[in-house]
C-alpha cells in the first residue's frame, strides 16, 4: 500500500507525512522543489515505513501522472497560500482547480487508487458576505466568491467541486472513497521556517516586539489534529463527508491574555490597535492590503464541527498545547 501525499513540504502535508511514517506506511511525498522538502528525510520512520520524495508540479500533468501511478491512497494536501500572490488566476486559482483536475485525471489513469482525502478549507464553506456572528456548518458552501471577490474562497470551493464531480461521475464499482477535510486557521508546531508564511504568522506576531494586536477574530485548530484527521479519514467516517476540523475562535487580544496566563513572565501583546490605524498600517505593509484587512476588523464567524471529531474517533488538542508548542517551535 503506497500513500501519496501531495504538498508534502507544506505545514499540513509535513505533519501528515510524519504521522504516516510513524504508523508504518509507505509514503510517496511530492514537492515542486525537492530541496525545500529535504527536511522530511529527518522524520522518525516506524517499522515497515518507507519514504519516497519526488518532484511534482500540479500544473504539469505528466509529473502528476507519474506521482499517482501505483498508489492506493491519495492525500491531496497541495495548496497555495494567499501570501505573495501576484496573479490570482495563475498563482492561486489554476493550481487549486486545474491542479486538482490533473490529480483526478491521474487517478483515473492509474486505476489503483481506492481512497481520496482532499484538503479543502473552511474558506470553501464560509460565504464572502456574512452576518456578523454567523455560525457555518459543513452543509454550507461559499457560493458568492469569484476571482475578484474572495479569490481564496473561490479557489478552495471550486477545487472541491472538481474532485466531487470527478468521483460522482465514476462507476460505483470502481468509485474511490472520498473525504474532504476543512480546517480553520492552522496553528501548532512547525517543521520548517517556511511554515511561518501562512496562518502561523499570527502566532509569530506574539513572539515579536510589536506591543499591539489587531481587532481580529481567529478561528483555529491544531495542525496535529488536522494531520490526524486526514489519516483517520482514509478508513473512518461516512464516505463523501465534509469534515470540518476546528477547535475554537478567539480575538487576538484574548489569545494574548491566555498566553500571559500560561507564561506570566512574558509580556505578550494584548492592546488592540484602533481600526483607523490598522488601515493606515495596511497601506504600507508589504504583505497586507486595505481590501483584505478592513472588512474583517471587529467582525467574526463561527463553525459548528457537528460530529466530525467523533466520526474520526478523535479528541481536539487542548488550545494551551497548541499555543505553547507552536510558540516554542518558532
Amino acid at each position: 500500500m503506497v500513500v501519496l501525499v501531495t504538498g508534502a513540504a507544506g505545514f499540513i502535508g509535513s505533519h501528515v507525512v510524519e504521522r504516516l511514517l510513524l504508523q508504518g506506511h509507505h509514503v510517496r511525498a511530492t514537492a515542486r522543489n525537492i530541496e525545500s522538502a529535504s527536511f522530511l528525510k529527518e522524520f522518525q520512520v516506524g517499522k515497515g515505513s518507507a519514504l519516497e520524495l519526488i518532484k511534482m508540479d500540479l500544473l504539469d500533468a505528466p509529473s502528476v501522472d507519474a506521482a499517482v501511478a501505483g498508489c492506493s491512497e491519495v492525500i491531496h494536501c497541495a495548496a497555495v497560500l494567499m501570501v505573495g500572490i501576484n496573479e490570482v488566476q495563475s498563482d492561486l486559482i489554476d493550481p487549486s482547480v486545474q491542479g486538482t483536475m490533473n490529480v483526478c485525471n491521474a487517478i483515473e489513469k492509474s486505476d489503483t487508487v481506492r481512497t481520496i482525502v482532499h484538503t479543502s478549507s473552511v474558506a470553501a464553506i464560509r460565504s464572502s458576505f456574512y452576518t456578523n456572528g454567523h455560525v457555518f456548518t459543513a452543509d454550507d458552501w461559499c457560493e458568492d466568491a469569484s476571482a475578484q471577490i474572495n479569490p481564496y474562497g473561490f479557489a478552495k470551493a471550486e477545487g472541491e467541486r472538481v474532485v466531487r464531480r470527478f468521483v460522482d461521475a465514476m462507476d460505483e464499482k470502481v468509485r474511490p472513497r472520498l473525504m474532504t477535510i476543512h480546517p480553520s486557521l492552522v496553528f501548532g508546531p512547525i517543521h520548517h521556517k517556511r511554515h511561518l508564511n501562512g496562518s502561523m504568522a499570527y502566532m509569530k506576531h506574539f513572539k515579536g516586539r510589536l506591543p499591539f494586536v489587531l481587532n481580529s477574530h481567529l478561528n483555529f485548530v491544531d495542525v496535529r489534529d488536522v494531520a490526524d484527521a486526514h489519516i483517520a479519514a482514509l478508513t473512518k467516517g461516512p464516505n463523501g463527508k465534509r469534515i470540518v476540523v476546528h477547535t475554537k475562535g478567539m480575538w487576538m487580544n484574548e489569545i494574548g491574555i491566555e498566553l500571559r496566563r500560561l507564561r506570566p513572565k512574558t509580556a505578550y501583546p494584548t492592546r488592540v490597535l484602533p481600526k483607523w490605524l490598522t488601515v493606515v498600517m495596511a497601506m504600507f505593509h508589504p504583505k497586507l492590503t486595505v481590501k483584505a484587512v478592513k472588512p474583517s476588523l471587529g467582525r467574526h464567524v463561527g463553525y459548528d464541527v457537528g460530529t466530525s471529531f467523533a466520526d474520526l474517533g478523535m479528541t481536539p488538542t487542548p488550545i494551551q498545547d497548541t499555543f505553547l508548542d507552536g510558540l516554542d517551535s518558532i
Side-chain angles (χ1 to χ4, degrees), residues 219-273:
N219 292 294
F220 61 87
V221 63
D222 194 291
V223 66
R224 293 163 293 192
D225 291 343
V226 180
D228 285 341
H230 280 77
I231 298 170
L234 291 172
T235 57
K236 297 179 182 178
N239 184 15
K241 186 166 184 178
R242 304 174 90 200
I243 298 290
V244 179
V245 192
H246 163 68
T247 305
K248 193 174 179 64
M250 298 175 69
W251 295 93
M252 285 190 73
N253 70 314
E254 291 179 330
I255 294 176
I257 292 170
E258 176 64 13
L259 291 176
R260 286 189 177 192
R261 186 187 70 80
L262 294 170
R263 289 185 173 163
K265 295 182 180 181
T266 305
Y268 293 106
T270 59
R271 182 180 300 175
V272 179
L273 193 69

Side-chain angles (χ1 to χ4, degrees), residues 31-39 53 192 194:
R32 283 188 299 173
N33 184 331
I34 293 295
E35 290 185 1
S36 70
S38 60
F39 68 92
L53 189 56
H192 192 278
R194 63 177 290 180

Side-chain angles (χ1 to χ4, degrees), residues 11 81-83 185-187 190 193-204 287:
F11 190 25
L81 303 175
M82 276 299 292
V83 179
L185 285 173
V186 183
F187 292 161
I190 65 171
K193 63 182 181 181
R194 63 177 290 180
H195 299 153
L196 292 173
N197 293 330
S199 55
M200 278 298 287
Y202 287 106
M203 294 305 298
K204 184 182 178 182
K287 294 183 179 180

Side-chain angles (χ1 to χ4, degrees), residues 11-20 23 75 77 117 181 183 186 191 221-234 245 312 314:
F11 190 25
I12 294 173
S14 62
H15 278 271
V16 172
V17 170
E18 179 185 40
R19 279 162 147 66
L20 285 171
Q23 294 177 21
I75 299 180
C77 290
V117 178
I181 310 296
V186 183
H191 287 310
V221 63
D222 194 291
V223 66
R224 293 163 293 192
D225 291 343
V226 180
D228 285 341
H230 280 77
I231 298 170
L234 291 172
V245 192
L312 301 182
M314 294 173 52

Side-chain angles (χ1 to χ4, degrees), residues 52-316:
E52 295 179 60
L53 189 56
I54 64 174
K55 181 180 177 65
M56 188 197 83
D57 184 333
L58 280 174
L59 297 180
D60 177 36
S63 73
V64 179
D65 292 345
V68 173
C71 292
S72 52
E73 284 83 25
V74 171
I75 299 180
H76 182 34
C77 290
V80 178
L81 303 175
M82 276 299 292
V83 179
I85 291 294
N86 294 316
E87 296 291 337
V88 167
Q89 186 64 46
S90 60
D91 296 346
L92 175 64
I93 296 175
D94 287 347
S96 297
V97 181
Q98 184 59 51
T100 300
M101 193 172 297
N102 287 342
V103 172
C104 291
N105 291 338
I107 289 172
E108 186 173 30
K109 293 174 186 176
S110 74
D111 196 32
T112 59
V113 176
R114 297 293 171 258
T115 307
I116 305 170
V117 178
H118 176 70
T119 310
S120 187
S121 166
V122 292
I125 289 172
R126 183 189 64 246
S127 58
S128 307
F129 304 98
Y130 54 82
T131 302
N132 194 26
H134 184 78
V135 177
F136 292 92
T137 74
D139 293 328
D140 294 311
W141 278 83
C142 180
E143 302 279 8
D144 57 359
S146 67
Q148 293 73 39
I149 301 173
N150 187 11
Y152 186 72
F154 177 75
K156 300 308 289 188
E158 288 301 303
E160 184 185 353
R161 288 187 176 101
V162 165
V163 72
R164 287 189 173 277
R165 283 196 297 262
F166 165 73
V167 171
D168 288 344
M170 297 185 72
D171 187 284
E172 289 186 7
K173 295 180 181 179
V174 296
R175 182 180 297 164
R177 169 184 170 82
L178 171 67
M179 299 281 276
T180 60
I181 310 296
H182 300 258
S184 51
L185 285 173
V186 183
F187 292 161
I190 65 171
H191 287 310
H192 192 278
K193 63 182 181 181
R194 63 177 290 180
H195 299 153
L196 292 173
N197 293 330
S199 55
M200 278 298 287
Y202 287 106
M203 294 305 298
K204 184 182 178 182
H205 177 85
F206 288 100
K207 295 282 283 187
R209 297 180 179 179
L210 294 177
F212 59 81
V213 294
L214 302 182
N215 188 20
S216 297
H217 187 266
L218 308 179
N219 292 294
F220 61 87
V221 63
D222 194 291
V223 66
R224 293 163 293 192
D225 291 343
V226 180
D228 285 341
H230 280 77
I231 298 170
L234 291 172
T235 57
K236 297 179 182 178
N239 184 15
K241 186 166 184 178
R242 304 174 90 200
I243 298 290
V244 179
V245 192
H246 163 68
T247 305
K248 193 174 179 64
M250 298 175 69
W251 295 93
M252 285 190 73
N253 70 314
E254 291 179 330
I255 294 176
I257 292 170
E258 176 64 13
L259 291 176
R260 286 189 177 192
R261 186 187 70 80
L262 294 170
R263 289 185 173 163
K265 295 182 180 181
T266 305
Y268 293 106
T270 59
R271 182 180 300 175
V272 179
L273 193 69
K275 182 175 181 177
W276 70 269
L277 194 54
T278 305
V279 172
V280 172
M281 182 189 72
M283 292 178 182
F284 301 97
H285 197 285
K287 294 183 179 180
L288 296 177
T289 64
V290 174
K291 183 179 179 180
V293 170
K294 190 175 180 180
S296 62
L297 291 174
R299 292 170 57 79
H300 73 287
V301 298
Y303 297 99
D304 183 351
V305 301
T307 60
S308 290
F309 282 94
D311 288 341
L312 301 182
M314 294 173 52
T315 301

